[in-house]
Structures are given as C-alpha cells and as structure tokens.
Amino acid sequence: MTTVTQADTIKTLTTHYIDGAFVESHGREVMDIIKPTNGKVIARVTLGDEEDTRRAIAAAKRAFVEFSRTTKEERSRYLRQLHEAVSASIDDLTDVMIEEYGGVARFARLIVESGVTAFAAAEKGLQELPLKQSWGKTTVTLEPVGVAGLITAWNANALFICLKLASAVAAGCTVVIKPSEMSSLQTRVMVEALNAAGLPNGVYNMVTGLGTTVGAELVRNPDVAKVSFTGSVAVGETIMRDGAATMKRITLELGGKSPTIVLDDAALDKAIPSALILAFLNSGQACAAGTRLLVPKSRLDEVKRAIQEGMRAYTVGDPADPNIMVGPMVSQKQYQRVESYIRKGIEEGAEVLVGGEGRPKGLEAGYFVKPTVFVNVKNDMTIAQEEIFGPVLSVIAYDSEDEAIRIANDSKYGLHSAVMGTDLERARRVASQLRAGRVVINNMTDDPQAPWGGFKYSGVGREYGKYGIEAFLEPKAILE
Ligand code: NAD
C-alpha cells in the first residue's frame, strides 16, 4: 500500500467552463489528485454537480440555435482555429499528462499530437462529406443531431476531448464535455487552450465531476440528444440503458483484449518488437493494447528468446525520463487490479516468462508494476479473456492459421488486432477474417480518416474522419 501524503505545493481547481467563461462550481465536493509516481496529493478539485451540468446543457442549447445553421466553411474555420490553439499548447498538455497520470513522455506527446491532428482530420472529413444530396424530387440533408454530451476516459483524455469535439463541431453540434475526474489538471490546461480558439460562447462547455452525477445528468437530460462515451464496458452498458429513456443517440468506445497474430513466416526480429510496442502501449493502459500474442507452436522457443531480448528495452520508472518505456499505473486501485491479474495468471497455471508480482526494485513509492509476459496461456484463462489495462502480455501458442483466427475471434471484445507476416497477401487474408474494428498489418500505424471503434463488447459506432462526423448527424429527407 502506498501512503498518500501532500506535495509541497497543491493546485486548487474550483471552476468549470460554461458559456464561454470559467465559473465557480455549484457542486462542493472536493477530490484529491494524487501523483502516481509518489502517491502525493498534487491538486484539489471541486467537483461539479447536477446543477452545474444543467447550466452547461442550457448554454449549449442556446448556442445550438445559431451554431447548427453554420456553413461548412464556417465550421472549417472554427476547426482550424481549434487546431491552431491546441497546437500552441502541445508542450504544456504533454507535461501535465506525465505529471497527473504518469503517461510516459514519448506516448504522452503522441497522444496530444493525435488530439491536435483530430481537428485537421475533421476538417478534411467534413469537406468529403456531402451534407446535401438531391435526386428527382428528393433532397436529403445531414443535420446536426443537437446538444451532445462527451464523456471521456482518463487514459488519453486530451485526445478524446479533441477527437469528440472536432467531430461535433464539424457536424454543427454544441457540446458539454465531462472529462474523466482523474484528468482534472489536464482538462484545465486543455480548456485554456480551447478558450484561445475564440469559438462562440456555449459551443463547448466543460464540467468536471463524477460519472454518477455529471455523467448521469448528461445521459438522462432530455435536452441532450447524443452521448459519445469512451470508457469501460460496465459504464457503457449503464449509458445505453439509461439513455434509452430519452432516446439518446449513443456512441460507445469501450474496452479490448486485442490479439496480435504472428504468422509462421514472420521475421521475428521485426515482429516481436512490434508486438511488444502494441502490448505495452501507454504502460499497457490502452484500449487498443495487443495483450494476446498468438504465435505458431513450431516457433515458440524462438519467440520466447525474442521476447526476453525485446523486454530488456521495457525499463520502468519516472515517466518524465524519455528513456523510460513503462510508467506507473494511474492509481492505487489500478495497481491492485493489475497485481491481482498477475496473481490470477499464476494461479491458473500460466508461466511467468518476464516480470511477475510486486513492485520493481527501487520503485516502492509509486504505483509501479513489473511489465509481465506470461507463456503457456490458454485462451480461456482469465488473463486471456479479461481486459487488465496494465502491462501484462499473454502468449498463446497455436497449431494452424485457422486455429490462430479462431482464438483471435474467441473474445467478447473486437476493438483492434494485428497480423505479422512476410507474405502480405496471406496477412491480408487473415486480417479479413478477424472480427475487429481495426486490423493493422506488421506495424502499429494510424490514419485519422480511418474509422475507429469496436465490434461486439468493444463498442457501438465509430469515431475519426467522416465516420466520426456522421455520428453527430441526422439524415433528413424533403420530398416535393
Ligand atoms: P470508466 O468507464 O470508469 O469511466 C469513463 C468515464 O465515464 C469517466 O469520465 C467517468 O467519470 C464516467 N462515468 C462513470 N460512471 C458513469 C455513469 N454512470 N454515467 C455516465 N458517465 C459515467 O473508464 P476509465 O477507467 O476512465 O477508462 C478505462 C476504460 O476505457 C477501459 O475499459 C478502456 O479500454 C476504455 N477505453 C476505450 C477506448 C476506445 O477508444 N475504445 C479508449 C480508451 C479507453
């Protein structure tokens, strides 16, 4: 157990951003923000309540009247302004992400940069999306759905805010953002950056608070037409159920247990380092993390050696150090969760190849775990089925390509997957049979115009590019 103490200077946050201004919170509950590298309280945040949320929704509703009538050109200009404003804060946003939740420096910057890119991508997506089409006596327009509630997870808060806001603005929606309460410091820096973009008052509003108060009000309020959520399956289910009462349009970006299939013709000196990057992305606290590594039985010994070699690079420690690959878990609770899964893996008969239980030597003060690789994992074991959200990789051996595909798809999730192989035609054939919203071949790569989202329990709907914008639009047909 890490002891919680106070840092020398503690920041205090007491405001939300409503109708173009920072306003004092009506909610009075105060939450501590604890630095995960040393367990010290670094900030105190006053949490918003239902009344703060209703004020923000009312501001968004007022702004919707004008904003929903803006043209493509006007919205494109706003997106460029947002892009410029957030670009100017990349360093500050990266630093606060490292401090507040221990994101490793190289990943934190990537996340923030991806957020900035989202505005440019939405502008491009908007240009490619016909908002009006006619044939015969029929005209179809795509109209903004209304006020949207944007609820984010903590693990890449800056990216989720930018991504959801970019799509909503492109569509002509106004929004109330409910960032993760665990990202309050990051959110403050983000709002200050967004504020510099000079959008009309009320187009975006931000209320920091708990999911069960601020989030729940967004889900139940009849003036909110759409909820776009990134987070856990459990909360996603609640949102879908509770949102039904007001017929909310819902986008859910949920968890994953993503497979990486190494085909038997793969060059292991490239495939294994790529697979490790996928697995230990953001210290394993990533929805897309490739946490099941499927390898041919015939090459298992080679794979084990390549993993042991590759894992030497996965140094654990101070996330501000650019050479560190794995930082702390975000909280004491997350630390305990990851440790309990490592214990469970051992109890169920998997073999620890690298890492194991307990804190790494010399890192007793924070929420650090050992990056862990299990071998001899069966796909029905808990560690192969449940999302751990930490640096734990399960290696599963298969006999044939068909078996690899079957194991990959034998999961309640279907968010992301990867195929590694030399014969590209074969890799594509395997990719086409995977039940996942996105499949990468041979490397972790991104395209901001490509849709992002999950099959099965990984979610409902898509984000990014024109797919993300469509999620904030309603088609309307006028027939003469
Ligand atoms: P979480 O579900 O606990 O919280 C997410 C957000 O929902 C927070 O802002 C929280 O305050 C809010 N919330 C909680 N209860 C609510 C309620 N009843 N009504 C409305 N809002 C409520 O998730 P987390 O711990 O912040 O994030 C980790 C999870 O997010 C993992 O499962 C991860 O896989 C998933 N995730 C998915 C993606 C994706 O793109 N698919 C990306 C990142 C994270």
Side-chain angles (χ1 to χ4, degrees):
M1 188 92 176
T2 304
T3 321
V4 175
T5 53
Q6 288 191 2
D8 295 340
T9 47
I10 296 183
K11 295 183 186 115
T12 310
L13 302 178
T14 60
T15 56
H16 309 293
Y17 186 83
I18 299 176
D19 212 6
F22 289 95
V23 294
E24 283 299 317
S25 183
H26 176 268
R28 303 310 319 149
E29 196 181 333
V30 175
M31 185 182 119
D32 289 341
I33 299 289
I34 296 163
K35 187 168 167 144
T37 49
N38 59 16
K40 289 193 173 175
V41 176
I42 50 170
R44 294 227 156 86
V45 183
T46 306
L47 300 171
D49 62 8
E50 289 82 353
E51 179 56 27
D52 293 300
T53 316
R54 285 192 285 268
R55 288 175 187 171
I57 295 169
K61 190 180 173 185
R62 283 192 300 276
F64 183 75
V65 177
E66 288 293 316
F67 198 68
S68 59
R69 295 193 198 122
T70 46
T71 61
K72 254 190 185 185
E73 290 62 38
E74 286 167 314
R75 291 181 211 161
S76 295
R77 181 162 51 77
Y78 288 136
L79 287 166
R80 283 196 294 278
Q81 286 168 219
L82 286 163
H83 182 270
E84 205 174 304
V86 182
S87 294
S89 295
I90 288 179
D91 287 345
D92 292 346
L93 285 163
T94 305
D95 290 348
V96 69
M97 184 166 163
I98 294 168
E99 185 188 23
E100 185 170 37
Y101 91 76
V104 288
R106 60 178 75 198
F107 186 80
R109 180 163 286 274
L110 202 71
I111 283 296
V112 173
E113 286 172 352
S114 306
V116 171
T117 307
F119 295 113
E123 191 196 341
K124 186 162 183 284
L126 180 60
Q127 294 313 323
E128 287 167 7
L129 195 66
L131 294 182
K132 186 173 179 180
Q133 283 182 296
S134 300
W135 60 89
K137 292 182 174 182
T138 300
T139 302
V140 176
T141 52
L142 299 180
E143 303 205 347
V145 65
V147 173
L150 313 181
I151 303 176
T152 71
W154 54 267
N155 68 319
N157 186 62
L159 167 60
F160 304 141
I161 289 177
C162 293
L163 183 58
K164 291 179 193 299
L165 178 63
S167 300
V169 165
C173 288
T174 57
V175 306
V176 177
I177 303 167
K178 204 246 35 102
S180 170
E181 59 277 19
M182 291 160 79
S183 312
S184 299
L185 286 175
Q186 295 169 70
T187 298
R188 175 69 195 206
V189 179
M190 176 61 79
V191 187
E192 281 169 7
L194 295 174
N195 191 35
L199 263 61
N201 292 348
V203 168
Y204 67 90
N205 306 273
M206 183 107 58
V207 181
T208 294
L210 299 179
T212 44
T213 52
V214 178
E217 179 62 30
L218 286 174
V219 173
R220 85 168 80 89
N221 195 298
D223 285 334
V224 176
K226 156 107 198 164
V227 171
S228 177
F229 169 79
T230 298
S232 62
V233 170
V235 175
E237 284 174 2
T238 305
I239 289 176
M240 205 164 196
R241 195 177 49 242
D242 296 353
T246 46
M247 210 50 79
K248 294 271 186 293
R249 278 69 180 135
I250 307 254
T251 298
L252 301 176
E253 296 291 349
L254 310 177
K257 192 73 200 176
S258 300
T260 298
I261 300 180
V262 174
L263 294 171
D264 58 12
D265 68 346
L268 293 186
D269 59 335
K270 295 199 178 69
I272 296 302
S274 291
L276 296 179
I277 289 174
L278 273 162
F280 296 106
L281 216 57
N282 200 21
S283 312
Q285 302 175 117
C287 52
T291 50
R292 291 185 297 149
L293 181 59
L294 278 44
V295 302
K297 223 172 251 169
S298 57
R299 300 190 69 184
L300 188 56
D301 289 339
E302 275 175 87
V303 167
K304 283 189 196 172
R305 282 195 297 275
I307 290 175
Q308 280 168 322
E309 176 63 31
M311 284 304 290
R312 285 193 209 171
Y314 285 80
T315 45
V316 190
D318 179 1
D321 178 342
N323 297 314
I324 289 295
M325 296 287 276
V326 178
M329 300 297 92
V330 71
S331 61
Q332 174 78 21
K333 191 172 153 210
Q334 190 61 21
Y335 167 81
Q336 280 162 341
R337 177 187 161 91
V338 175
E339 286 293 315
S340 75
Y341 275 111
I342 295 176
R343 236 178 346 267
K344 187 87 182 159
I346 295 166
E347 280 164 18
E348 289 188 352
E351 182 193 325
V352 173
L353 182 71
V354 180
E357 279 186 86
R359 287 182 163 81
K361 214 160 171 275
L363 292 170
E364 286 76 16
Y367 308 135
F368 294 95
V369 301
K370 293 180 195 154
T372 296
V373 182
F374 280 110
V375 289
N376 286 347
V377 179
K378 303 280 170 279
N379 198 50
D380 59 1
M381 287 180 182
T382 309
I383 52 167
Q385 286 295 324
E386 294 184 12
E387 184 185 48
I388 298 174
F389 225 54
V392 182
L393 173 63
S394 292
V395 180
I396 303 169
Y398 66 81
D399 281 314
S400 65
E401 188 181 297
D402 283 349
E403 193 190 10
I405 295 166
R406 190 186 54 71
I407 295 172
N409 288 336
D410 180 14
S411 167
K412 69 189 251 191
Y413 295 108
L415 184 61
H416 197 271
S417 40
V419 182
M420 314 273 179
T422 304
D423 176 350
L424 269 184
E425 267 314 305
R426 182 181 174 207
R428 287 185 195 122
R429 196 178 63 231
V430 171
S432 73
Q433 295 172 75
L434 297 178
R435 303 273 300 154
R438 197 180 272 202
V439 188
V440 295
I441 294 181
N442 282 339
N443 252 320
M444 182 71 186
T445 176
D446 194 21
D447 172 358
Q449 296 304 322
W452 173 264
F455 282 32
K456 303 188 264 182
Y457 277 75
S458 288
V460 175
R462 295 292 180 268
E463 295 195 288
Y464 277 103
K466 77 179 176 70
Y467 303 90
I469 302 169
E470 277 170 346
F472 289 89
L473 292 165
E474 290 273 29
K476 178 164 114 190
I478 297 181
L479 289 78
E480 291 174 17

